[in-house]
Each structure stands twice: as C-alpha cells, then as structure tokens.
C-alpha cells in the first residue's frame, strides 16, 4: 500500500463530545481551498454535540485553509506534502480516523455544500445498527435542483445512477454524494488502497461495500451550490462518468466470475 507523508499535525485537543451509545464518532474533512467556508461548516458540526473528534486533511490548498483549521478547537489538522487527489485525501482521512479509535466515521466536505445538521441522522442509523453505511442523498426529496445543481449535472447523475444500480443490482437514489457515514467494520474490511486517487474513488468505495454484502441507507439531504462550493469541471465530470461505468461493469464481470479485479476481492 502507498503511504503519504504528512507535513504537520497540531497538538492533540480535547474531544468535542461524549460517545454516541458508547461509539466514538469522528468527522473527517478532505479539504482543498476551503478557507471561506470552513468556519461555518465547523460551527454547525459543533452544534450537533455528538462528534468526538474532527480530522481535517489538507491536500496542499493554495488559500488559508490550514491556518483557519489550526485555529479551531477540537480539530486535528494534517497536511499532505503533495497534492494526492480527492481519493488520495480520503484514504488518509480514513486511515487517521481508524488510528484515532473511531467507531463511526462521517465524511463531510468543509465547503458547506452539505449541511452538518444531518449528522445526528447519519450517526444514529449506524449507531443503532440499522445500516453500516449511510449516504446523504441530494436526490431524495428533490433537493438537488432546488439547491442549484446545474441541469446537466442532474441529468448525468440520474443516468449514471440508473446504470450503476443496474450493474451491481442495487437500488440507491444516487452514488455521487459527498456526504457519507461508515462503521469501523466497513473501513477495516475494504481494500481502499486499490481504489483511484481521483474522484471515482467515491464510486469504487460504494461498489466495494455492495460487493462485501453490506447494506447502505440513505437520508434526504438538502444541498447548496454557490461559488465557494467545490465542484469539478465538465471535462473531469466526463472522465468521472466513464470511470463510474467502468467500475460497475467490472463489478458485474467479477460477480459472474469472468474477470478479476483488485477492487473486488473476498479478503
């Protein structure tokens, strides 16, 4: 497995809250140029009063993300020596969360596109044993277009989701949300190092979860699209789309025994 050197880690701080039903809750934030929205995201996380630790991994931001994060109580800040990509950032996030003793890990973007007010819903579904993975869905409730999602992105989302449900045989409302919660068991089981360091990491991770027979729950999640919210351009979106289709096809071929993949192994 590839390991990334971390440039810095601030001194340990006190936990933010008590455990949820005896389970340690850690929020991980894969950050890149999030200085303008980080404080607001952090403030709403604190309001929920069920998070024990926040880990922010900065992927060589060009703004003041690191200095802002270091000024926030209860946040452990880690800085990559070089930009590793969105998927590479998440690999570090989950590795650090497990090392910190997390039982429930919530991945939340610090760009304030997804509301931290849904943390209790995501955490409780895992903490009460309903699902080991929970997604904040922008599609359930029709919030995507209301929140400003571009029409072309909505159409692409629906088309990709249809194909992704067809190939693995699942029934999710979407695969492309950046708001996700996982049990420790899932993170220890998946071969995340085999996944891409790019945006398709998200899709590959969900496919791996389905491969191992874990259930995935969803909650309706309002989102906001604005200038500071992270997004990928059309060219990278096309690349991501083809990557998602390739992941679904590989999953189906592996299930049929017609192909082998590092992503889908019964370890």
């Amino acid at each position: 497995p590839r390991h990334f050197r971390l440039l810095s880690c601030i001194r340990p701080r006190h936990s933010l809250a008590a455990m949820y039903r005896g389970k340690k809750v850690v929020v991980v934030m894969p950050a890149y140029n999030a200085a303008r929205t980080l404080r607001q995201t952090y403030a709403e996380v604190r309001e929920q009063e069920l998070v024990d630790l926040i880990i922010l991994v900065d992927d060589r931001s060009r703004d003041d993300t690191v200095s802002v994060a270091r000024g926030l109580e209860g946040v452990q800040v880690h800085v990559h020596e070089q930009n590793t990509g969105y998927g590479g950032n998440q690999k570090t996030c989950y590795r650090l969360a497990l090392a910190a003793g997390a039982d429930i890990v919530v991945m939340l973007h610090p760009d304030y596109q997804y509301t931290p007010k849904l943390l209790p819903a995501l955490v409780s579904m895992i903490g009460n044993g309903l699902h080991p993975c929970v997604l904040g869905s922008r599609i359930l409730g029709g919030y995507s277009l209301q929140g400003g999602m571009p029409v072309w992105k909505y159409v692409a989302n629906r088309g990709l989701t249809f194909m992704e449900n067809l190939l693995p045989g699942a029934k999710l409302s979407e695969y492309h949300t950046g708001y996700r919660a996982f049990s420790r068991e899932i993170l220890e089981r998946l071969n995340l190092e085999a996944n891409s360091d790019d945006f398709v990491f998200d899709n590959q991770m969900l496919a791996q979860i389905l491969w191992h027979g874990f259930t995935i729950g969803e909650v309706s999640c309002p989102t906001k699209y604005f200038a500071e919210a992270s997004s990928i351009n059309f060219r990278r979106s096309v690349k991501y789309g083809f990557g998602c289709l390739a992941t679904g096809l590989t999953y189906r071929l592996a299930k049929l025994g017609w192909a082998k993949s590092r992503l889908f192994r019964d370890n």
Side-chain angles (χ1 to χ4, degrees):
R2 192 168 74 183
H3 297 283
F4 302 116
R5 232 176 92 211
L6 302 176
L7 278 182
S8 61
C9 173
I10 65 170
R11 64 186 181 277
R13 298 176 184 260
H14 296 296
S15 295
L16 301 182
M19 293 183 175
Y20 180 86
R21 293 184 173 269
K23 294 176 172 29
K24 185 173 184 177
V25 178
V26 174
V27 168
V28 296
M29 295 183 178
Y32 183 69
N33 294 340
R36 294 184 179 182
T37 55
L38 177 55
R39 289 189 182 90
Q40 187 173 11
T41 305
Y42 167 82
E44 284 198 12
V45 170
R46 290 294 303 264
E47 288 175 2
Q48 309 316 306
E49 299 184 346
L50 49 65
V51 176
D52 296 284
L53 176 66
I54 298 172
I55 297 175
L56 182 141
V57 178
D58 183 79
D59 207 28
R60 301 304 296 170
S61 292
R62 292 171 294 177
D63 63 4
D64 296 327
T65 297
V66 173
S67 60
V68 171
R70 285 176 172 163
L72 302 176
E73 182 182 359
V75 179
Q76 289 187 2
V77 182
H78 301 264
V79 183
H80 279 156
E81 184 178 38
Q82 60 185 9
N83 184 280
T84 64
Y86 176 62
N89 192 322
Q90 282 193 68
K91 292 175 185 179
T92 300
C93 283
Y94 300 134
R95 186 166 61 246
L96 294 174
L98 291 177
D103 297 300
I104 299 173
V105 179
V106 182
M107 194 267 286
L108 174 64
H109 294 180
D111 64 357
Y112 200 63
Q113 185 179 21
Y114 300 93
T115 173
K117 294 179 180 180
L118 274 178
L119 280 169
L122 274 67
V123 169
S124 65
M125 289 178 72
I126 295 177
N128 288 296
L130 298 177
H131 295 285
C133 172
V134 184
L135 308 178
S137 171
R138 299 167 294 179
I139 303 302
L140 290 176
Y143 288 115
S144 53
L145 291 175
Q146 293 177 17
M149 177 186 282
V151 174
W152 70 267
K153 283 193 174 183
Y154 177 82
V155 173
N157 183 307
R158 304 317 302 136
L160 277 177
T161 296
F162 173 79
M163 292 301 299
E164 288 162 323
N165 278 330
L166 184 66
L167 291 168
K171 293 183 179 179
L172 299 179
S173 68
E174 76 157 326
Y175 287 74
H176 317 294
T177 174
Y179 201 0
R180 299 157 177 240
F182 308 100
S183 69
R184 183 181 186 90
E185 181 187 6
I186 278 185
L187 295 178
E188 291 180 330
R189 184 78 178 275
L190 303 186
N191 181 17
L192 297 181
E193 291 297 332
N195 293 351
S196 169
D197 288 339
D198 208 343
F199 288 99
V200 76
F201 173 93
D202 274 351
N203 189 258
Q204 292 172 334
M205 189 175 184
L206 291 182
Q208 288 175 322
I209 290 171
L210 294 172
W211 175 270
H212 289 292
F214 293 109
T215 61
I216 300 176
E218 296 183 280
V219 297
S220 180
C221 176
T223 54
K224 304 179 183 69
Y225 289 83
F226 48 93
E228 290 80 11
S230 62
S231 184
I232 59 177
N233 58 36
F234 180 78
R235 182 183 62 83
R236 298 197 73 182
S237 295
V238 171
K239 178 182 176 182
Y240 169 77
F242 279 112
C244 291
L245 293 176
T247 300
L249 182 59
T250 302
Y251 178 102
R252 176 50 53 197
L253 293 176
K255 276 292 186 183
L256 294 172
W258 295 351
K260 293 184 179 180
S261 171
R262 291 180 60 214
L263 299 181
F264 308 118
R265 291 180 178 177
D266 297 318
N267 51 355

